[in-house]
Amino acid sequence: MNYSQKTTKHKSLLDARGRGLTSPQDEALSEAFCSVDTRRSASATTHRHTTLTTYKEVVYNIGEYLKEHDKYDEQDFQKKEFKHRLWKNLEDNKLVYYGLTKSQLTHIETKLRIQRSFLEISVLYDKVTGNTIPLKDLIISANHSPHRYYGEIQNRVNTLIGYATQKELVPLFMTLTLPSEYHPFKLINKELVKNPKFNGTSPREAVKVLTKRFAKLRNDRVFREMPKDQRIYFRVNEPHQSGTPHTHILFYVPQWSIERVMEAFKRLFPQKGNDIQYDLRNAGAYVMKYVNKTLPNSQGKSRTKKAKYLNAWYAHNRITRFSSSRTLAPLYLYRLLYKQYTLKALTRMRNDKRLRVYASVDKPDVILEIFDGDELVYMKNENYTIEKHRGVA
């Protein structure tokens, strides 16, 4: 096809578009030609004798256009579907707490019960000695070993605070929320009603939006001027009554930066729903209050109905309860070496670059050996297999 033929095709597409007769592929082709024609006109004065349009160039434009078109179409469809389902549940009076229905709670609790049964009947079997260890005694999970998980989180928070105190850093406490279009409901006279501004974003995607907003703060100039080891935070995600997430952050920064950090926070985030506090008396107790709220399973059998739905909200939406700065040694190291080193000692070893970690080439997640200098401190044991407990059919 020569240029005049292509131009004719482009004009016919424009005519068809005016009559509403174009297909998505035709629209893409038209956009591709528009893109090429724009580049031609921009450079025509300096490249009058150069061929600027190629078949390959047009096909590339079509492919890119369709990819973006399909991507946004799918996202838009998912949002509309989620919005319709959520509002239908409200109309049918099925919502109980945090945007969840009773059937959704039952589904999550059934899945957790199946997982718990697997852990109870399974053991780690040593093929050499014949010894067994119940899997339920090894797992660290908010759902299946909440007390062990809570202890690990508390240890992490205490170590972070101790590290920050040693660096003479000052705590700030921040709360970030999302604007009205991320909330499916409004609370009027203690009742949930539809929010016409809601854009259909799911709780899982809304957490990603909060993460991007928090990253925007951390990328502000005042934070870029701080050394990495003087920017320490611990973050907790939790839901509003409507099921939309918000986040609380305990952030340690140098004394000299307090005013500039607070100014940056107020500049980036509107005052409504967002808050930053200074001069905390007991920062550890303050953040642990929110940690306790997000771990209802640690309450045992005394859990309230609302606490059950709160726990299901995290599982149903696959939302992480906690995250922190990379100040301390990573969890995978600590869980392998906690019997030999404290988290504080392991962090110091990591910062001094004393540790060498070797993993499988085929499976990078599988740690084979860990050395402290020339000393082997961990080696994966290949003698263990997971089996059913004896006596279980």
Side-chain angles (χ1 to χ4, degrees), residues 160-174:
L160 268 175
I161 292 173
Y163 188 88
T165 303
Q166 186 180 353
K167 295 278 185 181
E168 298 183 343
L169 304 179
V170 181
L172 294 169
F173 192 80
M174 306 172 181

Side-chain angles (χ1 to χ4, degrees), residues 146-162 234 284-285 287-289 291-292 295 322 328 331 334 343:
H147 297 291
R148 201 175 300 139
Y149 184 77
Y150 177 84
E152 184 180 78
I153 293 295
Q154 190 165 38
N155 179 33
R156 199 161 188 80
V157 170
N158 290 341
T159 306
L160 268 175
I161 292 173
F234 187 84
V287 76
M288 286 308 294
K289 177 182 77 173
V291 169
N292 288 333
L295 288 174
F322 316 112
L328 304 179
L331 271 179
Y334 178 66
L343 185 55

